Amino acid sequence: MDHQGVLFEFFGWMASITMILGYLPQAIRTIRTRNTDGIALPTFLMMGIGGACFMMQGILHQPGILWALFVTNLITTICCIIIFSIKIYNDYFKKKS
């Protein structure tokens, strides 16, 4: 791997690690507390769709998979789906009460 390839991989993984570390605390807090009052439903819907699209981009990249892009967006998309589901559940049952 040449110098440019090493830098490409380094910055890809640094972006991956920082994105996950920046996103996980909020996701964990929301999952633990189930409090979604301050969460905008359209935001998490769009973030989930965007993450899924970036995952596909990472998989479809040629000549090989962009693992940093794929892994980051796999984790953040799963978190978005969980938070989106909790938000839908909370909003549905709050309106019922």
Coordinates of all heavy atoms in Angstrom, one line a residue:
M1 N 0.9 -1.2 0.0 CA 0.0 0.0 0.0 C 0.9 1.2 0.0 O 1.8 1.3 0.8 CB -0.9 0.0 1.2 CG -1.9 1.1 1.3 SD -3.0 1.1 2.7 CE -4.0 -0.4 2.5
D2 N 0.6 2.2 -0.9 CA 1.4 3.4 -1.0 C 1.0 4.4 0.2 O 0.1 4.2 0.9 CB 1.2 4.0 -2.3 CG -0.2 4.5 -2.6 OD1 -1.1 4.2 -1.9 OD2 -0.3 5.2 -3.6
H3 N 1.8 5.5 0.2 CA 1.6 6.5 1.3 C 0.2 7.1 1.2 O -0.4 7.2 2.3 CB 2.6 7.6 1.1 CG 2.6 8.7 2.1 ND1 3.0 8.4 3.4 CD2 2.3 10.0 2.0 CE1 2.8 9.6 4.1 NE2 2.4 10.5 3.2
Q4 N -0.3 7.3 0.1 CA -1.7 7.9 -0.1 C -2.7 6.9 0.4 O -3.7 7.3 1.1 CB -2.0 8.3 -1.5 CG -3.3 9.0 -1.7 CD -3.5 9.5 -3.1 OE1 -2.7 9.3 -4.0 NE2 -4.6 10.2 -3.3
G5 N -2.5 5.6 0.1 CA -3.5 4.6 0.5 C -3.5 4.4 2.1 O -4.5 4.2 2.7
V6 N -2.3 4.6 2.7 CA -2.2 4.5 4.1 C -3.0 5.7 4.8 O -3.7 5.5 5.7 CB -0.8 4.4 4.6 CG1 -0.6 4.6 6.1 CG2 -0.1 3.1 4.1
L7 N -2.8 6.9 4.2 CA -3.5 8.0 4.7 C -5.0 7.9 4.5 O -5.8 8.3 5.4 CB -3.0 9.3 4.1 CG -1.6 9.8 4.5 CD1 -1.2 11.0 3.7 CD2 -1.7 10.2 6.0
F8 N -5.4 7.4 3.4 CA -6.8 7.2 3.1 C -7.4 6.3 4.1 O -8.5 6.6 4.7 CB -7.0 6.6 1.7 CG -8.4 6.4 1.3 CD1 -9.1 7.4 0.7 CD2 -8.9 5.1 1.4 CE1 -10.4 7.2 0.3 CE2 -10.2 4.9 1.0 CZ -11.0 6.0 0.5
E9 N -6.8 5.2 4.4 CA -7.3 4.2 5.4 C -7.3 4.8 6.8 O -8.2 4.7 7.6 CB -6.4 2.9 5.4 CG -6.7 2.0 4.2 CD -8.1 1.5 4.2 OE1 -8.6 1.1 5.3 OE2 -8.7 1.5 3.1
F10 N -6.2 5.5 7.2 CA -6.1 6.1 8.5 C -7.2 7.1 8.7 O -7.9 7.0 9.8 CB -4.7 6.9 8.6 CG -4.6 7.7 9.9 CD1 -4.4 7.1 11.1 CD2 -4.8 9.1 9.8 CE1 -4.3 7.8 12.3 CE2 -4.7 9.8 11.0 CZ -4.4 9.2 12.2
F11 N -7.4 8.0 7.8 CA -8.5 9.0 8.0 C -9.9 8.4 7.9 O -10.8 8.8 8.6 CB -8.4 10.2 7.0 CG -7.3 11.1 7.3 CD1 -6.1 11.2 6.6 CD2 -7.3 11.9 8.5 CE1 -5.1 12.1 6.9 CE2 -6.3 12.8 8.8 CZ -5.2 12.9 8.0
G12 N -10.0 7.3 7.2 CA -11.3 6.6 7.1 C -11.6 6.0 8.5 O -12.7 6.1 9.0
W13 N -10.6 5.3 9.1 CA -10.9 4.7 10.4 C -11.0 5.7 11.5 O -11.7 5.6 12.5 CB -9.8 3.7 10.7 CG -10.1 2.4 9.9 CD1 -9.4 1.9 8.9 CD2 -11.1 1.5 10.1 NE1 -9.9 0.8 8.4 CE2 -11.0 0.5 9.2 CE3 -12.2 1.4 11.1 CZ2 -11.9 -0.6 9.1 CZ3 -13.1 0.4 11.0 CH2 -13.0 -0.6 10.0
M14 N -10.2 6.8 11.4 CA -10.4 7.9 12.4 C -11.8 8.5 12.4 O -12.4 8.8 13.4 CB -9.3 9.0 12.2 CG -7.9 8.6 12.6 SD -7.8 8.1 14.4 CE -8.2 9.6 15.2
A15 N -12.3 8.7 11.2 CA -13.6 9.2 11.0 C -14.6 8.2 11.6 O -15.6 8.6 12.3 CB -13.9 9.5 9.6
S16 N -14.4 7.0 11.3 CA -15.3 5.9 11.8 C -15.3 5.9 13.4 O -16.4 5.9 14.0 CB -14.8 4.6 11.3 OG -15.6 3.5 11.8
I17 N -14.2 5.9 14.0 CA -14.1 5.8 15.4 C -14.7 7.1 16.1 O -15.5 6.9 17.0 CB -12.6 5.7 15.9 CG1 -12.1 4.3 15.5 CG2 -12.5 5.9 17.4 CD1 -10.6 4.1 15.5
T18 N -14.4 8.2 15.5 CA -14.9 9.5 16.2 C -16.4 9.6 15.9 O -17.2 10.0 16.8 CB -14.2 10.7 15.7 OG1 -14.3 10.8 14.2 CG2 -12.8 10.7 16.1
M19 N -16.9 9.2 14.8 CA -18.4 9.2 14.6 C -19.1 8.3 15.5 O -20.2 8.6 16.1 CB -18.7 8.8 13.1 CG -18.2 9.8 12.1 SD -19.1 11.4 12.1 CE -20.7 10.9 11.6
I20 N -18.6 7.1 15.7 CA -19.2 6.1 16.6 C -19.2 6.6 18.0 O -20.2 6.6 18.7 CB -18.6 4.7 16.4 CG1 -18.9 4.1 15.1 CG2 -19.1 3.8 17.5 CD1 -18.1 2.9 14.7
L21 N -18.0 7.1 18.5 CA -17.9 7.6 19.8 C -18.7 8.8 20.1 O -19.2 9.0 21.2 CB -16.4 7.8 20.2 CG -15.5 6.6 20.3 CD1 -14.1 7.0 20.5 CD2 -16.0 5.7 21.3
G22 N -18.9 9.6 19.1 CA -19.8 10.8 19.2 C -21.3 10.4 19.3 O -22.1 11.1 19.9
Y23 N -21.6 9.4 18.6 CA -23.0 9.0 18.4 C -23.5 8.1 19.6 O -24.7 8.2 20.0 CB -23.2 8.3 17.1 CG -24.7 8.1 16.7 CD1 -25.4 9.2 16.1 CD2 -25.3 6.9 16.9 CE1 -26.7 9.0 15.8 CE2 -26.6 6.8 16.5 CZ -27.3 7.8 16.0 OH -28.6 7.7 15.6
L24 N -22.7 7.1 20.0 CA -23.1 6.1 20.9 C -23.6 6.6 22.3 O -24.6 6.1 22.8 CB -22.0 5.1 21.1 CG -22.0 3.9 20.1 CD1 -20.8 3.0 20.5 CD2 -23.3 3.2 20.1
P25 N -23.0 7.6 22.9 CA -23.5 8.1 24.2 C -25.0 8.5 24.2 O -25.7 8.1 25.1 CB -22.6 9.2 24.6 CG -21.3 9.0 23.8 CD -21.7 8.3 22.5
Q26 N -25.3 9.2 23.2 CA -26.8 9.6 23.1 C -27.7 8.4 22.8 O -28.7 8.3 23.4 CB -26.9 10.7 21.9 CG -28.4 11.2 21.8 CD -28.8 11.9 23.1 OE1 -28.1 12.8 23.5 NE2 -30.0 11.5 23.6
A27 N -27.2 7.5 21.9 CA -28.0 6.3 21.6 C -28.2 5.5 22.9 O -29.3 5.0 23.2 CB -27.3 5.5 20.5
I28 N -27.1 5.3 23.6 CA -27.1 4.4 24.9 C -28.1 5.1 25.9 O -28.9 4.4 26.5 CB -25.7 4.2 25.4 CG1 -24.9 3.3 24.5 CG2 -25.8 3.6 26.8 CD1 -23.5 3.2 24.8
R29 N -27.9 6.4 26.0 CA -28.8 7.1 27.0 C -30.3 7.0 26.6 O -31.1 6.8 27.5 CB -28.4 8.6 27.0 CG -29.2 9.4 28.1 CD -28.6 10.7 28.3 NE -29.3 11.4 29.4 CZ -29.7 12.6 29.4 NH1 -29.4 13.4 28.3 NH2 -30.3 13.1 30.4
T30 N -30.6 7.2 25.4 CA -32.0 7.0 24.9 C -32.5 5.6 25.1 O -33.6 5.4 25.5 CB -32.1 7.4 23.4 OG1 -31.6 8.8 23.3 CG2 -33.5 7.4 22.9
I31 N -31.7 4.6 24.8 CA -32.1 3.2 25.0 C -32.3 2.9 26.4 O -33.3 2.3 26.8 CB -31.0 2.3 24.3 CG1 -31.1 2.5 22.8 CG2 -31.3 0.8 24.7 CD1 -29.9 1.9 22.1
R32 N -31.4 3.4 27.3 CA -31.6 3.1 28.7 C -32.7 3.8 29.4 O -33.5 3.3 30.2 CB -30.3 3.5 29.5 CG -29.2 2.6 29.3 CD -28.0 3.0 30.2 NE -26.9 2.1 30.1 CZ -25.7 2.3 30.4 NH1 -25.4 3.5 31.0 NH2 -24.8 1.4 30.3
T33 N -32.9 5.1 29.1 CA -34.0 5.9 29.7 C -35.3 5.8 29.0 O -36.3 6.1 29.6 CB -33.6 7.4 29.8 OG1 -33.5 7.9 28.5 CG2 -32.3 7.6 30.5
R34 N -35.3 5.5 27.7 CA -36.5 5.4 26.9 C -37.1 6.8 26.7 O -38.3 6.9 26.3 CB -37.5 4.4 27.4 CG -37.1 3.0 27.6 CD -37.1 2.4 26.2 NE -37.0 0.9 26.3 CZ -36.1 0.2 25.7 NH1 -35.3 0.8 24.9 NH2 -36.1 -1.1 25.8
N35 N -36.4 7.9 27.1 CA -36.9 9.2 27.0 C -36.5 9.7 25.6 O -35.4 9.9 25.2 CB -36.2 10.1 28.0 CG -36.7 11.5 28.0 OD1 -37.5 11.9 27.1 ND2 -36.3 12.3 29.0
T36 N -37.6 10.0 24.8 CA -37.4 10.5 23.4 C -38.1 11.8 23.2 O -38.3 12.3 22.1 CB -38.0 9.5 22.4 OG1 -39.4 9.2 22.8 CG2 -37.2 8.2 22.5
D37 N -38.4 12.6 24.3 CA -39.1 13.8 24.2 C -38.4 14.8 23.3 O -39.0 15.6 22.6 CB -39.4 14.4 25.6 CG -40.4 13.6 26.4 OD1 -41.2 12.9 25.7 OD2 -40.4 13.7 27.6
G38 N -37.1 14.9 23.4 CA -36.3 15.9 22.7 C -35.8 15.4 21.3 O -35.0 16.1 20.7
I39 N -36.3 14.3 20.9 CA -35.8 13.7 19.6 C -36.8 14.0 18.5 O -38.0 13.8 18.6 CB -35.6 12.2 19.7 CG1 -34.4 12.0 20.7 CG2 -35.4 11.6 18.4 CD1 -34.2 10.5 21.0
A40 N -36.3 14.5 17.4 CA -37.2 14.8 16.2 C -37.3 13.5 15.4 O -36.2 13.0 14.9 CB -36.6 16.0 15.4
L41 N -38.4 13.0 15.2 CA -38.6 11.8 14.4 C -38.1 11.9 13.0 O -37.4 11.0 12.6 CB -40.1 11.5 14.4 CG -40.5 10.1 14.0 CD1 -39.9 9.0 14.9 CD2 -42.0 9.9 14.0
P42 N -38.4 13.0 12.3 CA -37.8 13.1 10.9 C -36.3 13.0 10.8 O -35.7 12.4 9.9 CB -38.4 14.4 10.4 CG -39.6 14.7 11.2 CD -39.3 14.1 12.5
T43 N -35.7 13.6 11.9 CA -34.2 13.6 11.9 C -33.7 12.1 11.9 O -32.8 11.8 11.2 CB -33.7 14.4 13.1 OG1 -34.1 15.7 13.0 CG2 -32.2 14.3 13.2
F44 N -34.2 11.3 12.8 CA -33.7 10.0 13.0 C -34.1 9.1 11.8 O -33.4 8.2 11.4 CB -34.1 9.3 14.3 CG -33.1 9.6 15.4 CD1 -33.2 10.8 16.1 CD2 -32.1 8.8 15.7 CE1 -32.2 11.2 17.0 CE2 -31.2 9.1 16.6 CZ -31.2 10.3 17.3
L45 N -35.2 9.4 11.2 CA -35.6 8.7 10.0 C -34.6 9.0 8.8 O -34.1 8.0 8.2 CB -37.0 9.1 9.5 CG -37.5 8.5 8.2 CD1 -37.6 7.0 8.3 CD2 -38.9 9.1 7.8
M46 N -34.3 10.3 8.6 CA -33.4 10.6 7.6 C -31.9 10.1 7.9 O -31.2 9.7 7.0 CB -33.3 12.2 7.4 CG -34.6 12.7 6.8 SD -34.9 12.1 5.2 CE -36.4 11.2 5.4
M47 N -31.5 10.2 9.1 CA -30.2 9.7 9.5 C -30.1 8.2 9.3 O -29.1 7.7 8.8 CB -29.9 10.0 11.0 CG -29.6 11.5 11.2 SD -29.4 12.0 12.9 CE -28.1 10.9 13.5
G48 N -31.2 7.4 9.6 CA -31.2 6.0 9.3 C -31.1 5.7 7.8 O -30.3 4.8 7.4
I49 N -31.9 6.4 7.0 CA -31.8 6.2 5.6 C -30.5 6.6 5.0 O -29.9 5.8 4.2 CB -33.0 7.0 4.9 CG1 -34.3 6.4 5.3 CG2 -32.8 7.0 3.4 CD1 -35.5 7.3 4.9
G50 N -29.9 7.7 5.5 CA -28.6 8.1 5.0 C -27.5 7.1 5.4 O -26.7 6.7 4.6
G51 N -27.6 6.6 6.6 CA -26.6 5.6 7.1 C -26.7 4.3 6.2 O -25.7 3.7 5.9
A52 N -28.0 3.9 5.9 CA -28.1 2.7 5.1 C -27.6 2.9 3.7 O -26.9 2.0 3.1 CB -29.6 2.3 5.0
C53 N -27.7 4.1 3.2 CA -27.2 4.4 1.8 C -25.6 4.4 1.9 O -25.0 3.9 1.0 CB -27.7 5.7 1.3 SG -29.4 5.7 0.9
F54 N -25.1 5.0 2.9 CA -23.6 4.9 3.1 C -23.1 3.5 3.2 O -22.0 3.2 2.7 CB -23.1 5.8 4.2 CG -23.0 7.3 3.9 CD1 -23.5 8.2 4.7 CD2 -22.3 7.7 2.8 CE1 -23.4 9.6 4.4 CE2 -22.1 9.0 2.5 CZ -22.7 10.0 3.3
M55 N -23.8 2.7 3.9 CA -23.4 1.3 4.0 C -23.4 0.6 2.6 O -22.4 -0.1 2.3 CB -24.4 0.5 4.9 CG -24.2 0.6 6.4 SD -25.4 -0.3 7.4 CE -26.3 -1.4 6.3
M56 N -24.4 0.9 1.8 CA -24.4 0.3 0.5 C -23.2 0.9 -0.3 O -22.6 0.1 -1.1 CB -25.7 0.6 -0.2 CG -26.9 -0.1 0.4 SD -26.6 -1.9 0.5 CE -26.4 -2.3 -1.2
Q57 N -22.9 2.1 -0.2 CA -21.8 2.7 -0.9 C -20.5 2.0 -0.5 O -19.7 1.7 -1.3 CB -21.7 4.2 -0.6 CG -20.6 4.9 -1.4 CD -20.5 6.4 -1.1 OE1 -20.8 6.8 0.0 NE2 -19.9 7.1 -2.0
G58 N -20.3 1.8 0.8 CA -19.1 1.1 1.3 C -19.0 -0.4 0.7 O -18.0 -0.8 0.3
I59 N -20.2 -1.0 0.6 CA -20.2 -2.4 0.1 C -19.9 -2.4 -1.4 O -19.2 -3.3 -2.0 CB -21.6 -3.1 0.4 CG1 -21.7 -3.4 1.9 CG2 -21.7 -4.4 -0.4 CD1 -23.0 -3.9 2.3
L60 N -20.6 -1.5 -2.2 CA -20.5 -1.5 -3.6 C -19.2 -0.9 -4.2 O -19.0 -1.0 -5.4 CB -21.7 -0.7 -4.2 CG -23.1 -1.4 -3.9 CD1 -24.2 -0.4 -4.4 CD2 -23.2 -2.7 -4.6
H61 N -18.4 -0.3 -3.3 CA -17.2 0.4 -3.8 C -16.3 -0.7 -4.5 O -16.1 -1.8 -4.0 CB -16.4 1.0 -2.6 CG -15.2 1.7 -3.0 ND1 -14.0 1.1 -3.0 CD2 -15.0 3.0 -3.5 CE1 -13.1 2.0 -3.4 NE2 -13.7 3.1 -3.7
Q62 N -15.7 -0.3 -5.6 CA -14.7 -1.1 -6.3 C -13.3 -0.5 -6.2 O -13.2 0.7 -6.3 CB -15.2 -1.3 -7.7 CG -16.4 -2.1 -7.9 CD -16.3 -3.5 -7.3 OE1 -15.3 -4.2 -7.4 NE2 -17.4 -4.0 -6.6
P63 N -12.3 -1.2 -6.0 CA -12.1 -2.6 -6.2 C -12.5 -3.4 -4.9 O -12.4 -4.7 -4.9 CB -10.7 -2.8 -6.5 CG -10.0 -1.7 -5.9 CD -11.0 -0.5 -5.9
G64 N -12.8 -2.8 -3.8 CA -13.1 -3.6 -2.6 C -14.0 -2.7 -1.7 O -14.1 -1.5 -1.8
I65 N -14.5 -3.4 -0.6 CA -15.3 -2.8 0.3 C -14.6 -1.7 1.1 O -13.4 -1.9 1.5 CB -15.9 -3.8 1.3 CG1 -16.8 -4.8 0.6 CG2 -16.7 -3.2 2.5 CD1 -17.3 -5.9 1.4
L66 N -15.2 -0.6 1.4 CA -14.7 0.5 2.2 C -15.1 0.1 3.6 O -16.2 0.5 4.0 CB -15.1 1.9 1.8 CG -14.6 2.4 0.5 CD1 -15.2 3.7 0.1 CD2 -13.1 2.5 0.5
W67 N -14.3 -0.6 4.4 CA -14.7 -1.1 5.7 C -15.1 0.0 6.7 O -16.0 -0.2 7.5 CB -13.7 -2.1 6.2 CG -13.8 -3.4 5.5 CD1 -12.9 -3.8 4.5 CD2 -14.8 -4.4 5.6 NE1 -13.3 -5.0 4.1 CE2 -14.4 -5.4 4.7 CE3 -15.9 -4.5 6.3 CZ2 -15.2 -6.5 4.5 CZ3 -16.7 -5.6 6.2 CH2 -16.4 -6.6 5.3
A68 N -14.3 1.0 6.7 CA -14.5 2.1 7.7 C -15.9 2.7 7.5 O -16.7 2.9 8.4 CB -13.5 3.2 7.7
L69 N -16.2 3.0 6.2 CA -17.5 3.6 5.9 C -18.7 2.6 6.2 O -19.7 3.0 6.8 CB -17.5 3.9 4.4 CG -18.8 4.6 3.8 CD1 -18.9 6.0 4.4 CD2 -18.7 4.7 2.3
F70 N -18.5 1.3 5.9 CA -19.5 0.3 6.1 C -19.7 0.1 7.6 O -20.9 0.2 8.1 CB -19.1 -1.0 5.5 CG -20.1 -2.1 5.8 CD1 -21.3 -2.2 5.2 CD2 -19.8 -3.1 6.7 CE1 -22.2 -3.2 5.5 CE2 -20.7 -4.1 7.1 CZ -21.9 -4.1 6.4
V71 N -18.7 -0.1 8.4 CA -18.8 -0.4 9.8 C -19.4 0.8 10.6 O -20.4 0.6 11.4 CB -17.4 -0.7 10.5 CG1 -17.5 -0.8 12.0 CG2 -16.9 -2.1 9.9
T72 N -19.0 2.0 10.3 CA -19.5 3.2 11.0 C -21.0 3.3 10.7 O -21.8 3.5 11.7 CB -18.9 4.5 10.4 OG1 -17.5 4.4 10.6 CG2 -19.4 5.7 11.1
N73 N -21.4 3.2 9.5 CA -22.8 3.4 9.2 C -23.7 2.2 9.6 O -24.9 2.3 9.8 CB -23.0 3.7 7.7 CG -22.5 5.2 7.5 OD1 -23.2 6.1 7.9 ND2 -21.3 5.3 7.0
L74 N -23.1 1.0 9.7 CA -23.8 -0.2 10.2 C -24.2 0.1 11.6 O -25.4 0.0 12.0 CB -23.0 -1.4 10.1 CG -23.6 -2.7 10.7 CD1 -24.9 -3.1 10.0 CD2 -22.6 -3.8 10.7
I75 N -23.2 0.5 12.4 CA -23.5 0.8 13.9 C -24.5 2.0 14.0 O -25.4 1.8 14.8 CB -22.2 1.1 14.6 CG1 -21.3 -0.2 14.6 CG2 -22.4 1.6 16.0 CD1 -19.9 -0.1 15.1
T76 N -24.3 3.1 13.3 CA -25.1 4.2 13.5 C -26.5 3.9 13.0 O -27.5 4.4 13.5 CB -24.6 5.5 12.9 OG1 -24.3 5.3 11.5 CG2 -23.3 5.9 13.6
T77 N -26.7 3.2 11.9 CA -28.0 2.8 11.4 C -28.7 1.9 12.3 O -30.0 2.1 12.6 CB -27.9 2.1 10.0 OG1 -27.2 3.0 9.1 CG2 -29.2 1.8 9.4
I78 N -28.1 1.0 13.0 CA -28.7 0.1 14.0 C -29.2 1.0 15.1 O -30.4 0.8 15.6 CB -27.8 -1.0 14.4 CG1 -27.6 -2.0 13.3 CG2 -28.3 -1.7 15.7 CD1 -26.5 -3.0 13.6
C79 N -28.4 1.9 15.6 CA -28.8 2.8 16.7 C -30.0 3.6 16.3 O -30.9 3.8 17.0 CB -27.6 3.7 17.1 SG -26.3 2.8 18.0
C80 N -30.0 4.2 15.0 CA -31.1 5.0 14.5 C -32.4 4.2 14.5 O -33.4 4.7 14.9 CB -30.8 5.5 13.1 SG -29.8 7.0 13.1
I81 N -32.3 2.9 14.1 CA -33.5 2.1 14.0 C -34.0 1.8 15.4 O -35.3 1.9 15.6 CB -33.2 0.7 13.3 CG1 -32.9 1.0 11.8 CG2 -34.3 -0.3 13.5 CD1 -32.3 -0.2 11.1
I82 N -33.2 1.6 16.3 CA -33.6 1.3 17.7 C -34.3 2.6 18.3 O -35.4 2.6 18.9 CB -32.4 0.9 18.6 CG1 -32.0 -0.5 18.2 CG2 -32.8 0.9 20.1 CD1 -30.7 -1.0 18.8
I83 N -33.6 3.8 18.2 CA -34.1 5.0 18.7 C -35.4 5.4 18.0 O -36.4 5.8 18.6 CB -33.0 6.1 18.6 CG1 -31.9 5.8 19.6 CG2 -33.7 7.5 18.9 CD1 -30.7 6.7 19.4
F84 N -35.4 5.2 16.7 CA -36.7 5.5 15.9 C -37.8 4.7 16.4 O -38.9 5.2 16.6 CB -36.4 5.3 14.4 CG -37.6 5.6 13.5 CD1 -37.8 6.9 13.1 CD2 -38.4 4.6 13.1 CE1 -38.9 7.2 12.3 CE2 -39.5 4.9 12.2 CZ -39.7 6.2 11.8
S85 N -37.6 3.4 16.7 CA -38.6 2.5 17.2 C -39.1 2.9 18.5 O -40.3 2.9 18.8 CB -38.1 1.0 17.2 OG -37.7 0.6 16.0
I86 N -38.2 3.3 19.4 CA -38.5 3.7 20.8 C -39.4 5.0 20.6 O -40.4 5.2 21.3 CB -37.3 4.0 21.7 CG1 -36.6 2.6 21.9 CG2 -37.7 4.6 23.0 CD1 -35.2 2.8 22.6
K87 N -39.0 5.9 19.8 CA -39.7 7.2 19.6 C -41.1 6.9 19.1 O -42.1 7.5 19.6 CB -38.9 8.1 18.6 CG -39.6 9.4 18.2 CD -39.6 10.3 19.4 CE -40.2 11.7 18.9 NZ -40.5 12.5 20.1
I88 N -41.3 6.0 18.1 CA -42.6 5.7 17.6 C -43.4 5.1 18.7 O -44.6 5.4 18.9 CB -42.5 4.7 16.4 CG1 -41.9 5.4 15.2 CG2 -43.8 4.1 16.0 CD1 -42.8 6.4 14.5
Y89 N -42.9 4.2 19.4 CA -43.6 3.5 20.5 C -44.0 4.5 21.6 O -45.2 4.6 22.0 CB -42.7 2.5 21.2 CG -43.3 1.8 22.4 CD1 -44.1 0.7 22.2 CD2 -43.0 2.2 23.7 CE1 -44.7 0.0 23.3 CE2 -43.6 1.6 24.8 CZ -44.4 0.5 24.6 OH -45.0 -0.2 25.6
N90 N -43.1 5.4 22.0 CA -43.4 6.4 23.0 C -44.5 7.4 22.5 O -45.5 7.7 23.2 CB -42.2 7.3 23.4 CG -41.3 6.5 24.3 OD1 -41.6 5.4 24.8 ND2 -40.1 7.0 24.4
D91 N -44.4 7.8 21.2 CA -45.4 8.8 20.7 C -46.7 8.1 20.6 O -47.8 8.7 20.8 CB -44.9 9.3 19.3 CG -43.8 10.3 19.5 OD1 -43.3 10.6 20.6 OD2 -43.3 10.8 18.4
Y92 N -46.8 6.9 20.2 CA -48.0 6.2 20.0 C -48.8 6.0 21.3 O -49.9 6.3 21.4 CB -47.8 4.8 19.3 CG -49.1 4.0 19.2 CD1 -50.0 4.2 18.2 CD2 -49.3 2.9 20.1 CE1 -51.2 3.5 18.2 CE2 -50.4 2.1 20.0 CZ -51.4 2.4 19.0 OH -52.5 1.7 18.9
F93 N -48.0 5.6 22.3 CA -48.7 5.3 23.6 C -48.9 6.6 24.4 O -49.8 6.6 25.2 CB -47.9 4.3 24.5 CG -48.1 2.9 24.0 CD1 -47.1 2.2 23.3 CD2 -49.3 2.3 24.2 CE1 -47.3 1.0 22.8 CE2 -49.5 1.0 23.8 CZ -48.6 0.3 23.0
K94 N -48.2 7.6 24.2 CA -48.5 8.9 24.8 C -49.8 9.5 24.3 O -50.5 10.1 25.1 CB -47.3 9.9 24.6 CG -46.1 9.7 25.6 CD -45.1 10.7 25.4 CE -43.9 10.5 26.3 NZ -42.9 11.4 26.1
K95 N -50.0 9.3 23.0 CA -51.3 9.8 22.5 C -52.5 9.0 22.9 O -53.6 9.5 23.0 CB -51.2 9.8 21.0 CG -50.3 10.9 20.4 CD -50.2 10.9 18.9 CE -49.2 12.0 18.5 NZ -49.0 12.1 17.1
K96 N -52.2 7.7 23.3 CA -53.3 6.9 23.7 C -53.7 7.2 25.2 O -54.8 6.9 25.5 CB -52.8 5.4 23.6 CG -52.9 4.9 22.2 CD -53.9 3.8 22.2 CE -54.1 3.2 20.9 NZ -55.2 2.4 20.9
S97 N -52.8 7.7 26.0 CA -53.0 7.9 27.4 C -53.8 9.2 27.6 O -53.8 10.1 27.0 CB -51.8 8.0 28.2 OG -50.7 7.3 27.8

